[in-house]
Amino acid sequence: DCERCVRTHDHHCPWVGTCVAEGNRVYFYWFLLAQLVELYAFIVEGWLSLIAIEKRGSQGYPPYWMLRRIILLIGLVIMMALGAMVTALVCFHTYLAAANLTTWETVRWYKISYLKGREASKGSPFSVSLRSNLAAYCCPPWCARPLAADETVGESCCAVQGLKRTEDGWALWELKEQHIPWAIAWLPDWCAD
């Protein structure tokens, strides 16, 4: 959609106007969380305003307080619908981060050449462990660097065993045996399909 190649393409997002991929998906995730907090803050504020209108009762000119209540209720319904959608997106992208999958892989599993013949319920062939999956998802290449031979894991949250990186910090993806991290293994099969 953006007419350029990107590493680990997730999806094209019309709301941010760009492709979400390896270099910016953690920022997209934080964007979703910020939107979620903002929506729920507006919902709480709206309910508090509605309660205040109810406590005042029918004081004042009737059409004004009735109109205000109706507009507020319509706004709250819209905010709750948007809140439900953004909550679903946050949950879905949390699952994708933990499973080391992309939206594109999840939606088009059986049409992607490197995933053909593999069962989606067995997990991603790029998944190593929950920690390495989250490091690959959350650590942009400029923060991550490969471990030197004499270094131990733990010096950086982005440098984890099992996750190989190029010299410039990008994740090095290798097809392996499919793996589902323990933290999401309890989810029903329909969540992974």
Side-chain angles (χ1 to χ4, degrees):
D1 290 330
C2 292
E3 297 185 17
R4 59 183 127 132
C5 291
V6 291
R7 289 182 56 92
T8 318
H9 179 268
D10 191 90
H11 68 283
H12 179 81
C13 180
W15 304 109
V16 295
T18 190
C19 284
V20 176
E22 187 173 342
N24 66 352
R25 61 186 172 182
V26 69
Y27 303 119
F28 177 75
Y29 187 80
W30 285 109
F31 168 75
L32 287 178
L33 285 176
Q35 293 301 307
L36 190 63
V37 168
E38 181 181 33
L39 281 166
Y40 284 123
F42 281 129
I43 290 169
V44 168
E45 183 74 25
W47 280 113
L48 293 175
S49 295
L50 192 61
I51 291 168
I53 290 171
E54 291 296 321
K55 283 184 179 178
R56 276 187 263 148
S58 58
Q59 297 172 359
Y61 190 61
Y64 172 72
W65 63 264
M66 286 174 53
L67 179 65
R68 186 171 176 196
R69 183 182 305 160
I70 291 169
I71 291 172
L72 187 55
L73 282 172
I74 291 170
L76 282 171
V77 168
I78 291 170
M79 290 295 171
M80 287 189 288
L82 290 172
M85 287 187 280
V86 175
T87 299
L89 276 172
V90 168
C91 291
F92 181 62
H93 281 275
T94 300
Y95 166 77
L96 292 177
N100 199 8
L101 288 168
T102 65
T103 303
W104 182 66
E105 289 170 335
T106 304
V107 172
R108 304 266 187 203
W109 186 278
Y110 297 105
K111 295 182 180 182
I112 300 172
S113 61
Y114 59 86
L115 295 176
K116 282 184 180 176
R118 297 175 187 265
E119 288 296 318
S121 61
K122 292 184 179 176
S124 171
F126 302 108
S127 178
V128 179
S129 69
L130 180 64
R131 185 172 182 212
S132 67
N133 292 350
L134 292 176
Y137 192 92
C138 296
C139 297
W142 48 90
C143 126
R145 59 177 176 71
L147 286 174
D150 60 339
E151 281 184 299
T152 60
V153 174
E155 294 179 23
S156 167
C157 69
C158 295
V160 294
Q161 286 178 331
L163 178 63
K164 296 179 182 176
R165 295 207 177 253
T166 62
E167 288 180 12
D168 54 352
W170 292 99
L172 186 62
W173 303 112
E174 298 174 324
L175 283 173
K176 298 177 182 166
E177 192 169 323
Q178 290 174 269
H179 174 263
I180 300 175
W182 61 268
I184 58 172
W186 59 271
L187 291 171
D189 284 342
W190 56 265
C191 287
D193 292 336

